[in-house]
Amino acid sequence: MTTSSSRPVGGAGLEEHDVLVGGRALRVVRRPASGPGPRRTPLLLCNGIGAATDVLDPLVAALPADLDVIRFDPPGIGGSAVPRMPYHLTWMAHRLGQVLTKLGVREADVLGFSWGGMLAQQLAISRRRRVRKLVLAATGPGALMIPASPRVMAVMTSPKRHQDPSYVDAVAARIYGGSLRDHPERAAEALGAGARRGPMRGYYYQLMALSGWTSLPLLPAITADTLIIAGDDDPIVPRGNATMLHRGIRRSRISRYPGGHLELLLDPQPFAAEIDAFLRS
């Protein structure tokens, strides 16, 4: 048995698994590839901070059906069990390798968004043989990145934006930028704010997982072909961070878009097309 339990999810062709790693169950959602054609490398999605993997539903729906897509809730988020104690990003990357093994996946393409982009970098550094291609979206190199403004950082220290839709409306323009400057009301829906209140410990553990972590001196160790996707109006991850990643990762290129931090969730179709073309190339 690869998982402690497995069940279909709705009518979207999804499978939900409880994968036991490190003595705790991680909720993993998989959309197996469908249709004719050769088997493609599975795509592992690593999500941003504080949100269950369900917020990636629009992106997954926009990706072609012949792509096997795997995603998960981090410890203490969504349907994953709360860990006994705080963890580090290096620990989480190790556990993700175990998840892939238990799902029967030897090698995967990996897409990391925001917090998940840092986890994806760590996975590509410490488990490089498991990562074929890497997509880094709206993310940076961790502790040594170009930081957000203090006003933005103050909002990021609290999970309230994932719990209170009215609060998200009030801060969305300031912290997410892009299209949310004119339509901040779209942020709550994109993040699933208020849908899963749960304990706050999972969010704080995700913040603590980044403590002292940086990929900057280790970026040359990433050998996977890498696509870096960066917005020109991203208050959380200023645009210079994409340049830092590109300079450190030898086999990388930058794709810039005129938007903010959440455009991947708000308008996934063009991103899905670009990601798919990159994975096929």
Side-chain angles (χ1 to χ4, degrees), residues 154-180:
V155 175
M156 296 296 293
T157 58
S158 168
K160 189 175 180 181
R161 61 203 167 94
H162 292 285
Q163 299 175 323
D164 184 348
S166 62
Y167 179 74
V168 182
D169 287 352
V171 301
R174 181 167 81 243
I175 69 170
Y176 296 126
S179 61
L180 293 178

Side-chain angles (χ1 to χ4, degrees), residues 29-263:
V29 179
R30 185 173 193 173
R31 188 199 68 178
S34 62
R39 183 177 178 181
R40 297 180 61 183
T41 303
L43 175 63
L44 173 67
L45 302 182
C46 302
N47 197 14
I49 191 170
T53 192
D54 306 34
V55 305
L56 296 173
D57 283 351
L59 175 63
V60 174
L63 290 167
D66 66 347
L67 186 59
D68 182 353
V69 182
I70 301 166
R71 47 196 164 124
F72 63 97
D73 288 340
I77 300 295
S80 289
V82 178
R84 294 187 182 94
M85 60 186 66
Y87 59 90
H88 197 260
L89 215 63
T90 52
W91 177 92
M92 191 65 222
H94 174 65
R95 296 307 184 196
L96 268 188
Q98 292 180 323
V99 168
L100 292 176
T101 298
K102 291 192 173 189
L103 292 176
V105 176
R106 183 185 66 83
E107 182 184 57
D109 294 328
V110 180
L111 185 156
F113 167 63
S114 194
W115 183 93
M118 300 179 201
L119 176 57
Q121 291 171 62
Q122 181 60 49
L123 188 64
I125 291 167
S126 59
R127 297 290 184 273
R128 67 181 72 179
R129 293 184 180 180
R130 308 296 298 268
V131 180
R132 187 185 74 106
K133 289 196 173 188
L134 183 65
V135 181
L136 302 175
T139 194
L144 297 180
M145 68 187 286
I146 300 169
S149 72
R151 292 179 70 218
V152 172
M153 292 295 290
V155 175
M156 296 296 293
T157 58
S158 168
K160 189 175 180 181
R161 61 203 167 94
H162 292 285
Q163 299 175 323
D164 184 348
S166 62
Y167 179 74
V168 182
D169 287 352
V171 301
R174 181 167 81 243
I175 69 170
Y176 296 126
S179 61
L180 293 178
R181 294 196 186 279
D182 295 323
H183 299 283
E185 71 281 356
R186 297 187 65 200
E189 182 179 356
L191 294 172
R196 296 186 181 219
R197 291 189 175 267
M200 294 186 293
R201 203 186 327 166
Y203 184 92
Y204 292 124
Y205 279 6
Q206 280 190 278
L207 284 178
M208 294 172 69
L210 297 177
S211 179
W213 180 88
T214 182
S215 62
L216 197 59
L218 298 175
L219 289 175
I222 296 178
T223 56
D225 287 345
T226 303
L227 172 64
I228 301 164
I229 301 175
D232 287 333
D233 181 22
D234 186 343
I236 294 176
V237 184
R239 56 176 289 153
N241 286 289
T243 302
M244 294 173 70
L245 293 175
H246 175 54
R247 288 176 177 172
I249 302 173
R250 296 188 186 95
R251 298 166 63 177
S252 68
R253 65 180 177 87
I254 301 177
S255 174
R256 297 195 182 274
Y257 61 89
H261 192 72
L262 294 185
E263 305 302 332

